[in-house]
Amino acid sequence: MARPRKPLLSRDRIVEAAGALVDAEGLEAVSTRRLAAALGVSGPSLYNHFRTKDEILDAVADAVSARVDLSMFEPGAGRDWRTALHDWARSYRDALSDHPNIVPVLARGPGRRPAGLRLADAVFGAMTAAGWPPAQATRIGALMRYFILGSAVGSFAGGFVDDEAAYDPSDYPHLGQAHLLAERRREVDDGAFDTGLAALLDGLALQYEALTARAPGAAAATPGPWRTTPGDEPGRRP
């Protein structure tokens, strides 16, 4: 009988194998040798699909970005800008929570990554369509990205040890229950994210109210996303 053929090497197979390595061992685990061994191929064959390790990691990062739901920004979704931002932020964090080791690559920005650029385009487009000045819409996208990526970098609750003796009340009078945080990691971290997200959106809503009260419909006349002129920030006093 003929031996079964090995699956053809493809970009998708390489990205899947690299993503598994990143998830299990971190960014430094990804190398041509490790990937070739995992895929059962010779090292040089990887270069038919990717020129460098950084290109592979970019592709892994973009695969994670592609899992983020953007449907809430579609015109027919029927959600206002605040609800859309809330739902998108939750979807983004859910995608990152499964792959926290890739966050440092995502934190560099979208670069030329298609899914990352579609994400940025969707957020910016939805904010400007809602009437935010382009300059402020850019800042909102950056602010939300900082918050979401930061929440995925590590666990606050997981940073405390499950040992009551580590928190001597004579040294740390307010940490008497800190040893319980680790076992409540998900509850604490999810609650912190929800609290922060609500606070951000509440603050933006106040700015939006001030913007629309001051000059309804004037947002469309403001400069492009990389320029700012005095008075184009919602909430700024004239």
Side-chain angles (χ1 to χ4, degrees), residues 18 37 44 47 93 131 133 185 188 190-191 204 234:
Y47 294 111
R93 181 172 181 264
R185 174 173 176 167
V188 172
D190 285 355
L204 289 174

Side-chain angles (χ1 to χ4, degrees), residues 108-198:
R108 300 172 192 164
R112 298 177 182 272
R113 299 193 296 269
L117 290 170
R118 283 193 294 272
L119 189 154
D121 181 74
V123 175
F124 180 77
M127 294 305 100
T128 53
W132 285 99
Q136 188 68 357
T138 298
R139 298 186 192 108
I140 290 171
L143 167 67
M144 297 300 293
R145 184 168 160 272
Y146 298 152
F147 174 66
I148 298 164
L149 293 179
S151 74
V153 169
S155 165
F156 173 81
F160 293 86
V161 298
D162 184 14
D163 179 6
E164 187 173 4
Y167 307 104
D168 189 323
S170 64
D171 294 323
Y172 315 108
H174 306 296
L175 296 182
Q177 301 296 306
H179 64 287
L180 302 176
L181 289 174
E183 67 181 35
R184 300 175 183 174
R185 174 173 176 167
R186 185 63 180 266
E187 176 186 351
V188 172
D189 292 345
D190 285 355
F193 181 81
D194 289 341
T195 298
L197 181 58

Side-chain angles (χ1 to χ4, degrees), residues 56-69:
I56 295 173
L57 292 177
D58 267 350
V60 172
D62 215 38
V64 173
S65 294
R67 298 186 178 105
V68 181
D69 183 14

